[in-house]
Amino acid sequence: PIPAVLVENARDAAPAPVSESGDGGVWAAVRWTAPDGTRHTGRAEVPADGEKGDKVTVHTDANGRLVSAPPEGAEAGFQIAMAGITVAFVTSGMVLLVGWIARARLRLRRLDLWEAEWRQVEPTWRRRMTG
């Protein structure tokens, strides 16, 4: 988060169709200074009652570009829970896959050993059956 200044009155800006934070904010022009000292302008979600010249907080990435605010509260908890569930499913799926591959390879090895042993036994077995 970095400080920014409203370039226009928020009430003159068009309301956002669906506010990210759900607090009835609007998208208005703001001006901010990036970490490297360059000045930027862009549109960010700001409180609907903001006046031109008011200080607001915006969020930027490492390059100084505007990004949405990180999730907070219940939304953050939900995202954390979903990430945990996803990791659990992927991990268990990988364990099952590795187990299936290992079992298949062991089965093939067992069949190869059985085939090699049968090649040794089969000639004597055949003699006994035909003789």
Side-chain angles (χ1 to χ4, degrees), residues 29-107:
V30 294
R31 181 179 58 243
W32 73 97
T33 303
D36 63 2
T38 58
R39 294 189 136 218
H40 297 277
T41 58
R43 297 187 79 69
E45 190 174 2
V46 299
D49 60 351
E51 298 286 329
K52 182 177 180 177
D54 284 355
K55 292 193 182 296
V56 294
T57 300
V58 296
H59 294 82
T60 61
D61 61 13
N63 297 323
R65 293 182 303 241
L66 284 176
V67 295
S68 58
E72 296 177 349
E75 183 182 358
F78 175 76
Q79 287 185 5
I80 290 168
M82 291 308 294
I85 290 169
T86 302
V87 168
F89 275 115
V90 169
T91 302
S92 61
M94 292 298 290
V95 168
L96 289 173
L97 179 64
V98 168
W100 182 84
I101 291 170
R103 211 171 94 212
R105 290 195 45 110
L106 288 172
R107 187 181 324 118

Side-chain angles (χ1 to χ4, degrees), residues 117-127:
E117 189 175 340
W118 180 247
R119 273 192 237 114
Q120 291 174 353
V121 173
E122 192 261 338
T124 58
W125 185 264
R126 183 179 298 227
R127 268 187 259 137

Side-chain angles (χ1 to χ4, degrees), residues 9-32:
N9 289 329
R11 67 176 171 274
D12 297 337
V18 176
S19 172
E20 287 182 15
S21 60
D23 61 0
V26 297
W27 289 93
V30 294
R31 181 179 58 243
W32 73 97

